Amino acid sequence: MKSRPHSKVRRRFHHPSLRLLFLFLPEIFSSVGGSSVQEVIGAVGESVTFTTSVPVSGTISYKGGTVGLVLNKQSETDQNERFMNRLDWVSQSGFFTLSHLRTDDSGLYTVLSIKEPKGRQDYQLEVYERVSAPQVKNTDSSPSELCSFLCSVRNVRGLKLDLYEDDVLLNHTSSSNTSDTTLNLHLEIKKTDDHRRRTFSCVASNRVSTEKTTIDITHYCSLNPGLNTDVESDVEVLGSRAMFITVVCAVMSVIVVCLWKRNGNESSSGECCVLSGCKRY
């Protein structure tokens, strides 16, 4: 067995009567009256500590069955295969610690100290998987005035999925059935330039973690439907008008210059070229 960072003592109890007594201690003391249940939240793969000290002798039980013993500062915490190499008793603090948490570790634990200081505390452990970052995809099937997209995230226990515009909650959903593989949230917004200046985000969370995905609307939606076509048409019209005006101005300029020269007799042999041809005078 590999050494662990905790300072602890692990020895087997060889006296069968003592071991039998400790196995039934939780049941014996449960008839005396219980304490209020303290909730403990844990994440898969991490560890939790039950903060009721058993400095000399006592037990820890899971769903009514003893899974760890301490007698005269000697511990036996590998007696249950379910918690093998995961349940520790730390001699300095007298606390029990459960590591490498799994979702099926959730349930009621009872820590009992039978020597000074005596005490009993019930703990309801709830173990959650950490959430993953939401994925975003566009669901537009054809050009329209609406931009449609979908936020999706792998479903885990206690999952919530929220959709925000800036800091305003637009839509939300939560997981009621972990048999579903994903949790989805759909959103439609009108395609306007105003949305370019806003920040959209999908937020997945549960009691042990939060993940946020920021949505670049311009990446998923072509804003201002028909805008490019309209702009191209406008440009063509404006270009045609500008060319027409330029030609008219040029012709008028030539005519004005020719008339000025003729009236001023500045050149007897000059020629003025206009659209109808060239004339000499």
Side-chain angles (χ1 to χ4, degrees), residues 130-197:
R130 292 189 173 276
V131 302
S132 54
Q135 301 296 312
V136 182
K137 65 178 181 179
N138 184 282
T139 57
D140 284 338
S141 58
S142 60
S144 69
E145 293 183 354
L146 296 177
C147 174
S148 177
F149 60 91
L150 191 71
C151 286
S152 300
V153 66
R154 183 178 65 88
N155 198 6
V156 296
R157 183 186 179 199
L159 176 64
K160 295 194 304 178
L161 187 59
D162 300 323
L163 188 57
Y164 289 90
E165 179 181 355
D166 295 331
D167 295 325
V168 179
L169 180 64
L170 296 180
N171 200 359
H172 65 93
T173 187
S174 59
S175 172
S176 58
N177 188 354
T178 54
S179 63
D180 297 332
T181 56
T182 60
L183 191 64
N184 301 310
L185 196 58
H186 183 261
L187 180 69
E188 285 186 340
I189 61 172
K190 191 172 182 180
K191 296 179 180 179
T192 65
D193 263 344
D194 183 57
H195 286 116
R196 296 179 187 273
R197 296 183 291 273

Side-chain angles (χ1 to χ4, degrees), residues 26 35 50 59-64 96 108-112 120-123:
S35 61
F50 302 99
T59 64
I60 181 171
S61 63
Y62 173 65
K63 294 183 177 179
F96 287 100
L108 184 65
Y109 293 76
T110 300
V111 177
L112 180 65
R120 178 179 183 271
Q121 180 62 55
D122 294 325
Y123 296 91

Side-chain angles (χ1 to χ4, degrees), residues 53-121:
S53 181
V54 182
V56 182
S57 299
T59 64
I60 181 171
S61 63
Y62 173 65
K63 294 183 177 179
T66 299
V67 295
L69 310 173
V70 177
L71 179 61
N72 295 327
K73 299 185 179 181
Q74 299 176 11
S75 68
E76 181 180 343
T77 55
D78 276 347
Q79 62 175 355
N80 188 296
E81 184 177 355
R82 176 190 182 89
F83 299 103
M84 188 72 66
N85 298 323
R86 298 198 297 132
L87 181 63
D88 294 326
W89 175 75
V90 184
S91 60
Q92 290 91 334
S93 62
F95 295 158
F96 287 100
T97 297
L98 181 60
S99 58
H100 305 293
L101 290 173
R102 310 181 317 212
T103 55
D104 60 358
D105 289 332
S106 299
L108 184 65
Y109 293 76
T110 300
V111 177
L112 180 65
S113 176
I114 62 172
K115 286 192 176 181
E116 297 299 334
K118 295 181 180 180
R120 178 179 183 271
Q121 180 62 55

Side-chain angles (χ1 to χ4, degrees), residues 215-241:
I215 304 170
D216 182 357
I217 292 297
T218 59
H219 177 73
Y220 296 100
C221 303
S222 176
L223 299 183
N224 292 317
L227 177 62
N228 293 336
T229 303
D230 293 341
V231 168
E232 290 176 358
S233 299
D234 290 344
V235 168
E236 290 178 0
V237 172
L238 290 175
S240 300
R241 291 178 179 176

